[in-house]
Structure formats: C-alpha cells, structure tokens
Amino acid sequence: MPHKIHVLAAFRTRINRLLLVFSCLGLGLITGCASVIPPCGAKTSPPSSELKNTKWELTRWNLPPNSNGEVRVRQIPLGDASNPIQIIVDADGQRLSGSTGCNRFTATLDEDARGFTLKHITRTKMACTPQRMELENDFLYQLNDYRSIVRNGDQLLMIGVDREVLSFTQKSISKQ
C-alpha cells in the first residue's frame, strides 16, 4: 500500500508540473499577442463616417506571427525630413490621403454593409532610399490588402489577411 501512495504522489507531482508548464505557455502566448488582439470595446470596421476629418500616424507594425506564434515588430523609421507615415481621412469620408515618409498617396473609400475598402491608390514618385522604397511599397500593399479595421478611441488597427497589423495613433489635424 505505501508503494501505491508513493506512485500516486509522484503522478500528482508530474501532473501539477505539466499544468504549470502549460499555464505558463498559455500566459506567454496571450501576453505575446496582447498588442495584436483588439480590446473588447473596440469597433471592428467602423463606418467611414466615424473616421471623417481624422489624421493617423503609424506607430507600430506587427509582422505575421512566426512558426512559434511569436509576434515580430517591424521597425518604422521616420522618412525624409523626419516625416512619419500618416493617413488622413477627408471631411467627407470619401478620400484617404497621406505620406509614406517620402511620397504622398491618395485613395478613394468605397463603403458597403461589411465596411469599406480603398480603391485607386495612387502615389507620387519621388526618389527615396531603397530601404524607404521597400517600406513604402509594403505599407501601400497592406493598405490595399487589409481585411479589417478596428478603432478603439485614438487607436486604429488595420489587420491584414496574414495577421500583419498596422497600428495608428490619432493626431490632431493642423489648419494650414
């Protein structure tokens, strides 16, 4: 009988250790993805009317999770003359424009019951460094290929089909 008690105690110890390991792994996964998962109060695909006359600056770029599920962050250097990547929704909510840090771009907003999409994205063709051109091309691709938009106050997330996330912070529009 003492042998059975010893075996049961050893079994419980192993189970408790496994539970602890899985709990830590789960907590690590949740923590690692916390910057990607929209908050509960966030609105998914808000109507373009909510974004009328707003300006947003790209503050974080999460790359798709790697094979281990870890979120990676892409560096977002300021562009020429310290220009950040920005988007501006016009006062009518029908056009989006902005800066990639080097070139300017514009697009039309096309809205339906599921949300809105960007159409006819065009840009200027100023010379930039090769690294900046790569960042610009990737950014404009993400604008063209996002799957959902989430707004939570002064934060705006554009989530791509591959779970790449562009995080923007609202900025005040200066009168010129």
Side-chain angles (χ1 to χ4, degrees):
M1 183 77 161
H3 184 280
K4 283 185 180 181
I5 293 174
H6 180 67
V7 169
L8 284 175
F11 180 71
R12 282 186 185 157
T13 302
R14 285 186 180 166
I15 293 293
N16 287 339
R17 284 184 184 161
L18 279 174
L19 286 173
L20 180 62
V21 167
F22 284 123
S23 296
C24 289
L25 286 173
L27 184 59
L29 181 61
I30 290 170
T31 304
C33 295
S35 60
V36 178
I37 299 170
C40 294
K43 292 185 178 182
T44 302
S45 295
S48 62
S49 61
E50 279 191 32
L51 302 176
K52 285 182 181 180
N53 205 32
T54 57
K55 180 178 181 179
W56 304 88
E57 184 175 314
L58 183 65
T59 53
R60 185 176 173 100
W61 189 328
N62 288 348
L63 296 170
N66 64 17
S67 60
N68 295 330
E70 299 165 333
V71 175
R72 301 165 293 137
V73 178
R74 181 173 189 168
Q75 294 300 311
I76 313 169
L78 290 177
D80 300 343
S82 297
N83 294 327
I85 295 176
Q86 296 179 333
I87 58 174
I88 300 168
V89 181
D90 73 358
D92 297 327
Q94 296 178 356
R95 290 193 78 66
L96 181 125
S97 62
S99 171
T100 63
C102 178
N103 284 296
R104 304 218 26 91
F105 67 92
T106 186
T108 57
L109 294 173
D110 187 27
E111 191 163 15
D112 62 21
R114 294 176 305 188
F116 59 87
T117 56
L118 302 176
K119 304 273 183 172
H120 311 294
I121 298 175
T122 59
R123 65 177 160 178
T124 58
K125 301 213 184 248
M126 302 291 291
C128 307
T129 64
Q131 297 84 3
R132 193 69 199 183
M133 286 306 298
E134 179 183 355
L135 182 70
E136 178 176 299
N137 289 334
D138 291 349
F139 173 73
L140 292 174
Y141 176 81
Q142 287 300 316
L143 281 185
N144 191 49
D145 200 45
Y146 76 91
R147 289 297 173 250
S148 62
I149 291 181
V150 177
R151 181 177 185 182
N152 187 36
D154 67 348
Q155 298 296 312
L156 188 73
L157 303 177
M158 294 183 90
I159 305 166
V161 67
D162 60 357
R163 297 182 3 197
E164 198 157 336
V165 179
L166 302 177
S167 301
F168 296 87
T169 301
Q170 190 168 6
K171 300 294 180 182
S172 62
I173 296 181
S174 58
K175 303 290 181 197
Q176 297 182 358

